[in-house]
Structures are given as C-alpha cells and as structure tokens.
C-alpha cells in the first residue's frame, strides 16, 4: 500500500487512522488542518472518538479477564468440524449464555448501555473536559479572580498540572486578562484563566491534562447559556468557555490554539 503524502487528499481511512493514533506527525497535521476547515469531517471524527471511548469504557472491567474456554479460537475452530446438528445446539447454547448471563464479566450487562457507560465514567475525554469547564465557569466566573500575580499563578498551575503552561494573550481579540485560579475536576486539577471585555463580558480558558483523547479536534459544546469550544493537543486539554455565542467565541478559541501550537513548536 502506498503511503499517502501530507498533501494527498484526506479520505475516510485517514479519519479512522487519526482517531486510532496511527498517523505519522506530518500526516496527522494534514488531517488536523483538514478538520479545522471542515466542520462535517470534524463532527464525524468526534463521533468516532465517542464511539471508541464508549467501547473502551464498556469493556474496561473485563479487559484483563481470561477469555472463557468456549470463546477461545481453538474451541471455535473445533466447532467447525462438528456435525451441523451439534453446531446448531452449540450456537443456541451461546445465545442462551449471552442472554441469561454467565460466569465473570463476559455477560451482556447493563454496563453496555452507552448512557450507563457515561454515567460510570465513560465520558472522560473532550466531552468531560467541556462539562468541567462549564461547571467551573458557573462556579467561579462571578467571583473576583483568586490570584492576580501572573508569575505566581503560572508557577502554581504548572506545578499542579506537572507541565509548563502559558497564559494566552487575547488582547488582540478584545479581552484583558483578569486573573486565574486552580480548579478541581473529577479528572484532577485544572488551571482556569479569566478574561474581561470592556463591556464587562467575561470568558475563561481552562487547561488540564488528558488521560484519554490526548489529541482531539476542536468541537463546540453548549448547554443552556454556557458554552464554547474544547480540544486536546499533546496531552493537554483546552476549553474556551463563556456566555457569548459560539460564533463570537470561535475566533478566540482559534487564537488560543494558535498560540499553543507556536509554544509547542519552539
């Protein structure tokens, strides 16, 4: 199979390889640029990532369990050599086992329900990041920022996130840095930086390390009056959140991502 060049057209196989982390750096950048320009492709990748994470979460409790004897390859191959009547009986037994349950984790249980998977912690990627950003914004946006000392704030946040972070400069987008704080999420500490416009409108940028979906395209996430954009790059999740419309926040999110990319390339 011929290896695609970075300039080759992006096809469906590229999107699946992007989700599975199988692309080299050049091709991954080409796909990322394509996703930035094509909202439909970005939405498709988002669905693939969500499906992948739900599958991983659903099977996480049994991934380390031994495969039952009846489902091992040698047993399945042996069944192919048996008379048809016995094969039908074996197939019926498997269906009964799947429907009624069997020993250990190899059962069709309610944890396969995607809603249960999410409720039990399946949503620990970009969707969770966006939800945590909205919750933190609701909790802290109306308060005076905890720390106005930029250098001290950066030291504290970088120490807790165990990586150097920078406060984005959004003055060109009409926002003045107003302060920041550490916030707690179910997936660990996060840094939240607040910005104000001259009319008093406040928005925020939240950053935290990602345990899954360490690379993810930008996606819009809105619930009620609070929304924004979230993405992940090099293991760090970013969320731009506020009360303004997605149309207004999109260029702000683009500027945050541009600065993060520049820092990462140095």
């Amino acid at each position: 199979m011929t290896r695609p060049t970075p300039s080759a057209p992006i096809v469906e196989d590229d999107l699946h390889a992007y989700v599975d982390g199988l692309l080299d750096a050049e091709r991954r950048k080409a796909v990322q640029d394509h996703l930035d320009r094509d909202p439909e492709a970005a939405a498709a990748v988002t669905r693939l990532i969500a499906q992948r994470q739900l599958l991983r979460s659903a099977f996480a409790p049994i991934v380390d369990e031994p495969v039952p004897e009846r489902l091992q390859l040698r047993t399945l191959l042996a069944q192919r050599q048996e008379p048809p009547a016995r094969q039908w009986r074996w197939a019926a037994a498997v269906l009964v086992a799947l429907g009624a349950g069997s020993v250990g984790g190899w059962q069709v249980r309610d944890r396969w329900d995607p809603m249960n998977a999410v409720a039990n912690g399946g949503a620990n990627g970009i969707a969770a990041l966006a939800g945590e950003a909205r919750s933190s914004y609701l909790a802290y946006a109306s308060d005076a920022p905890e720390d106005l000392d930029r250098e001290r704030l950066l030291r504290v946040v970088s120490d807790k996130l165990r990586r150097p972070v920078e406060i984005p400069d959004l003055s060109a987008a009409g926002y003045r840095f107003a302060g920041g704080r550490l916030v707690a999420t179910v997936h660990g500490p996060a840094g939240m930086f607040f910005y104000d416009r001259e009319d008093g409108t406040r928005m925020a940028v939240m950053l935290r390390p990602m345990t899954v979906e360490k690379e993810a395209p930008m996606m819009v996430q809105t619930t009620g009056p609070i929304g924004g954009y979230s993405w992940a790059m090099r293991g760090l999740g970013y969320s731009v959140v506020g009360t303004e419309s997605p149309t207004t926040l999109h260029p702000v999110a683009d500027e945050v991502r541009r600065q993060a990319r520049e820092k990462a390339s140095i």
Side-chain angles (χ1 to χ4, degrees):
M1 179 177 175
T2 303
R3 183 178 180 181
T5 63
S7 59
I10 304 300
V11 297
E12 185 175 356
D13 285 349
D14 291 310
L15 302 184
H16 285 275
Y18 178 90
V19 171
D20 293 334
L22 300 178
L23 299 175
D24 60 36
E26 287 186 297
R27 190 61 177 171
R28 185 174 188 84
K29 183 179 184 304
V31 173
Q32 180 64 68
D33 291 342
H34 172 73
L35 296 176
D36 293 344
R37 298 189 302 268
D38 189 333
E40 290 187 6
V45 166
T46 299
R47 289 192 295 271
L48 290 173
I49 290 173
Q51 292 168 6
R52 183 173 185 266
Q53 185 56 37
L54 282 177
L55 286 171
R56 292 179 62 179
S57 299
F59 286 109
I62 64 173
V63 70
D64 294 324
E65 293 183 11
V67 178
E69 177 67 27
R70 70 182 185 280
L71 297 179
Q72 292 186 12
L73 181 60
R74 63 175 179 272
T75 303
L76 298 176
L77 290 175
Q79 296 295 334
R80 296 184 63 181
Q81 308 302 320
E82 295 179 354
R86 188 171 180 181
Q87 289 184 28
W88 280 109
R89 288 198 298 273
W90 174 83
V94 170
L95 289 175
V96 170
L98 290 175
S102 58
V103 178
W106 293 84
Q107 304 175 25
V108 178
R109 292 181 277 192
D110 61 353
R111 69 164 55 95
W112 176 243
D113 181 352
M115 295 306 295
N116 282 333
V118 170
N120 290 326
N124 56 354
I126 293 299
L129 171 68
E132 291 161 0
R134 290 193 299 269
S135 298
S136 297
Y137 183 88
L138 282 171
Y140 300 113
S142 61
D143 296 342
E146 185 177 81
D147 194 338
L148 291 176
D149 183 338
R150 293 175 65 108
E151 296 304 319
R152 179 168 175 263
L153 174 65
L154 281 175
R155 286 197 303 270
V156 171
V157 173
S158 296
D159 179 63
K160 292 297 184 181
L161 271 56
R162 297 182 179 180
R163 65 182 67 203
V165 299
E166 297 288 342
I167 298 174
D169 179 2
L170 300 179
S171 55
Y175 290 90
R176 177 185 63 85
F177 175 66
R181 65 192 305 150
L182 275 172
V183 297
T185 78
V186 295
H187 297 99
M192 196 160 208
F193 306 130
F194 296 97
Y195 297 82
D196 292 338
R197 270 196 335 211
E198 288 187 2
D199 62 4
T201 302
R202 175 162 288 184
M203 52 80 63
V205 177
M206 193 177 89
L207 302 86
R208 73 158 169 83
M210 303 292 289
T211 55
V212 298
E213 294 186 47
K214 296 184 178 183
E215 296 280 343
M218 184 183 292
M219 67 180 73
V220 63
Q221 295 282 345
T222 300
T223 299
I226 310 297
Y229 290 85
S230 302
W231 69 96
M233 183 174 64
R234 297 195 176 188
L236 191 63
Y238 298 80
S239 194
V240 171
V241 61
T243 57
E244 296 177 293
S245 70
T247 302
T248 301
L249 290 177
H250 197 181
V252 180
D254 282 340
E255 178 60 20
V256 173
R257 184 172 55 178
R258 184 192 67 78
Q259 292 183 28
R261 284 177 171 171
E262 284 188 353
K263 295 291 183 181
S265 63
I266 296 176

